């Protein structure tokens, strides 16, 4: 099976940098994804890390350490519109032969003016 | 380019009834996954369909069943509804990069 842990809430001010951590336990790991979900909206894909290291996409970066079963999402130059829930999700084998996404419980990010 | 669409948007059912939710994937996608999201929680994987077959299933009872049609659209059926089935049901589609899933807006199911 798979389990993921991430903080339930994070608060930061506009323009700041925030890091959302995620640790996971899994028996069949292929990669770590991050999704953003605004209240009442659908989750939207942000990033995917299959290899160790940092991936940068604009103001967002995602990091993975496979040996530590750890990753993080880094959001820079925070804007009010970044207030949302952020989910880490393991892409891997849970049971059976096909890969699936297993989500964490989510981190509610609140950006203050 | 139309994204993932789901219907209906909202649904209210009584305990014991049956419900069918529908999903049309993003153009060019052939794999559809269904998730259940309780309030304040992350999406929980129900099952995935590819080539009209259930390819993978999460920890959900047999009351949850599905189907995929030749045009890649999909249905989720839930029988003998329980109060605990009240949730947001999300459909996601993917193509070659299967880890990158595109989610629909969801169907909010309330069981009374």
């Amino acid at each position: 099976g798979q389990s993921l842990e991430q903080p339930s809430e994070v608060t930061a001010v506009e323009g700041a940098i925030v890091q959302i951590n995620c640790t996971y336990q899994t028996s069949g790991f292929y990669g770590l994804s991050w999704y953003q979900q605004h209240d009442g909206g659908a989750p939207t894909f942000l990033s995917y890390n299959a290899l160790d290291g940092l991936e940068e996409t604009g103001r967002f970066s995602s990091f993975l350490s496979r040996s530590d079963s750890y990753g993080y999402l880094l959001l820079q130059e925070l804007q009010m519109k970044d207030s949302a829930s952020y989910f880490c999700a393991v892409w891997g084998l849970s049971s059976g032969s096909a890969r699936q996404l297993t989500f964490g419980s989510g981190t509610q990010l609140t950006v203050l003016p | 380019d139309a994204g993932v669409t789901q219907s209906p948007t909202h649904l209210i059912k009584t305990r014991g009834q049956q419900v069918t939710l529908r999903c049309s994937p993003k153009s060019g996608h052939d794999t559809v996954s269904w998730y259940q999201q309780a309030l304040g929680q992350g999406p929980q994987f129900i099952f995935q369909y590819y080539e009209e077959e259930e390819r993978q299933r999460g920890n959900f009872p047999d009351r949850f069943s599905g189907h995929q049609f030749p045009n890649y659209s999909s249905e989720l059926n839930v029988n003998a509804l329980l109060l605990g089935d009240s949730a947001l049901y999300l459909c996601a589609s993917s193509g070659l990069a299967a880890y990158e899933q595109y989610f629909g807006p969801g169907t909010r199911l309330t069981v009374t």
Side-chain angles (χ1 to χ4, degrees), chain A residues 1-82:
Chain A
Q2 295 165 337
S3 67
L4 297 93
E5 287 195 19
Q6 54 182 124
S8 59
E9 296 178 347
V10 172
T11 301
V13 297
E14 212 172 0
I17 300 172
V18 72
Q19 179 173 312
I20 300 174
N21 298 318
C22 174
T23 58
Y24 58 87
Q25 289 186 327
T26 179
S27 54
F29 178 86
Y30 282 84
L32 189 70
S33 290
W34 288 91
Y35 285 78
Q36 178 193 61
Q37 186 177 31
H38 286 97
D39 278 349
T44 56
F45 174 82
L46 292 177
S47 67
Y48 175 72
N49 294 66
L51 303 175
D52 286 358
L54 191 69
E55 295 278 346
E56 299 182 55
T57 308
R59 295 188 296 113
F60 293 4
S61 303
S62 56
F63 172 84
L64 175 65
S65 169
R66 295 174 68 114
S67 60
D68 294 323
S69 298
Y70 164 74
Y72 66 73
L73 180 68
L74 189 73
L75 298 86
Q76 303 182 72
E77 301 172 15
L78 281 174
Q79 301 175 9
M80 300 294 290
K81 67 178 182 180
D82 297 331

